[in-house]
Amino acid sequence: MSARQPRFNQHLLIDTTPLPSSIPPVPEIGSSSAPLLSASYFIGARCKPYNDDFMQCKTAANGTGEVDCLKEGRKVTRCAAGVLEDVNKSCLEEFRKHWSCLDDNNQQLWQCRRWERPLNACVFEKLNIEKKIPGAPENETPVHLRKRQIFAHSITTQ
Amino acid sequence: MGVPFEALIPYAVCLGMFGFSGAALSKIRHMQNGGKRARHSVDQWDRQMMDRDRRLTGFLRGQTDMVKAPAGFEVSNPWRLERAFT
């Protein structure tokens, strides 16, 4: 059906029919890209089982995942909304500084480590979530804990 | 014998012109991006996220950290249509 990207797609159609009432309504996440990127590792640490369930459902559904995996998707949305609410309640200032820096720097995490360290410390202390990069090799320091970021533009924001 | 500085004035003029135009272009880009540095190397994921930001806040570079989306957000993602070629 939707086998390729649409070409000449200047015409837009906004369909305002709501979902059928048999599907329980879950409020969508209202954060935009920079706060979501900033909180992504915390969401990943806390919501790992729901996210893995959803991804497994989508790969197993073989094309019909958009309709078949709505239940797992609702769980993912609720969990992520919970993490965001907790971060907003406890570490709002550090969170805001970090995502404003990310927004100014092309959403590149390595430019903003200076504001990421207090955010990680605050979240670990108040919410007990630690940022871990999945798939990182065990015998090296993870990238976010290194003292020198080799691609950062300036030394003051590393 | 001192440094012949009159001979270096044209270089200073050239540098100044380049610097001024560079600064002016940078300022224009800054204002176009809502007071932030311009995004570069934007791929399809980034385009999709910036489109979502525009649906959420009204600006392409607008950011917000609300937990719940505003009303009507779930239905505001448009279908992209194209004319059928027969």
Side-chain angles (χ1 to χ4, degrees):
Chain A
M1 258 182 63
S2 57
R4 59 178 177 83
Q5 294 282 344
R7 313 274 188 262
F8 304 115
N9 52 356
Q10 284 88 9
H11 299 280
L12 301 174
L13 169 68
I14 300 189
D15 191 4
T16 48
T17 36
L19 283 176
S21 48
S22 55
I23 298 180
V26 171
E28 297 281 336
I29 305 243
S31 303
S32 44
S33 45
L36 271 183
L37 178 63
S38 179
S40 56
Y41 285 97
F42 309 129
I43 297 177
R46 217 199 246 185
C47 302
K48 187 170 189 323
Y50 304 113
N51 294 348
D52 287 345
D53 260 347
F54 182 60
M55 295 309 290
Q56 256 182 3
C57 174
K58 288 269 268 200
T59 31
N62 203 16
T64 55
E66 213 171 324
V67 177
D68 291 342
C69 300
L70 283 175
K71 181 158 161 246
E72 283 84 1
R74 286 196 290 275
K75 288 188 200 157
V76 166
T77 311
R78 276 190 223 120
C79 182
V83 175
L84 273 173
E85 204 173 317
D86 288 340
V87 173
N88 268 3
K89 274 206 207 96
S90 19
C91 296
L92 188 61
E93 282 313 314
E94 289 91 351
F95 186 45
R96 284 212 166 131
K97 282 205 195 96
H98 187 226
W99 65 250
S100 322
C101 170
L102 277 179
D103 200 23
D104 214 18
N105 278 301
N106 202 28
Q107 313 273 359
Q108 288 167 340
L109 285 167
W110 63 88
Q111 313 271 15
C112 298
R113 298 287 183 207
R114 180 177 151 195
W115 285 273
E116 190 184 322
R117 287 184 203 111
L119 175 64
N120 286 358
C122 171
V123 166
F124 184 60
E125 180 196 320
K126 300 224 173 101
L127 304 173
N128 206 18
I129 308 176
E130 198 190 330
K131 166 174 167 171
K132 270 203 191 64
I133 301 178
E138 300 288 332
N139 49 353
E140 304 170 353
T141 29
V143 182
H144 63 288
L145 297 174
R146 291 190 194 166
K147 202 149 176 293
R148 189 173 91 93
Q149 304 287 317
I150 52 180
F151 290 118
H153 285 153
S154 80
I155 200 148
T156 49
T157 57
Q158 285 187 15
Chain B
M1 176 85 196
V3 171
F5 66 90
E6 288 96 345
L8 298 174
I9 291 179
Y11 290 112
V13 168
C14 292
L15 260 180
M17 299 275 199
F18 273 119
F20 174 73
S21 18
L25 281 172
S26 171
K27 177 82 184 145
I28 289 178
R29 259 200 327 253
H30 200 254
M31 293 197 298
Q32 276 174 340
N33 276 281
K36 302 170 191 172
R37 301 223 281 259
R39 304 272 319 249
H40 60 89
S41 328
V42 175
D43 57 354
Q44 186 62 27
W45 171 264
D46 293 321
R47 270 190 284 269
Q48 203 160 25
M49 290 306 280
M50 290 187 346
D51 196 36
R52 182 176 178 271
D53 295 348
R54 186 157 37 85
R55 278 164 53 216
L56 263 178
T57 57
F59 302 102
L60 194 69
R61 298 290 304 270
Q63 301 284 338
T64 161
D65 57 7
M66 310 184 278
V67 178
K68 290 206 206 333
F73 175 70
E74 340 37 273
V75 291
S76 67
N77 202 0
W79 290 89
R80 308 215 172 230
L81 310 175
E82 59 179 19
R83 290 184 161 281
F85 291 105
T86 47

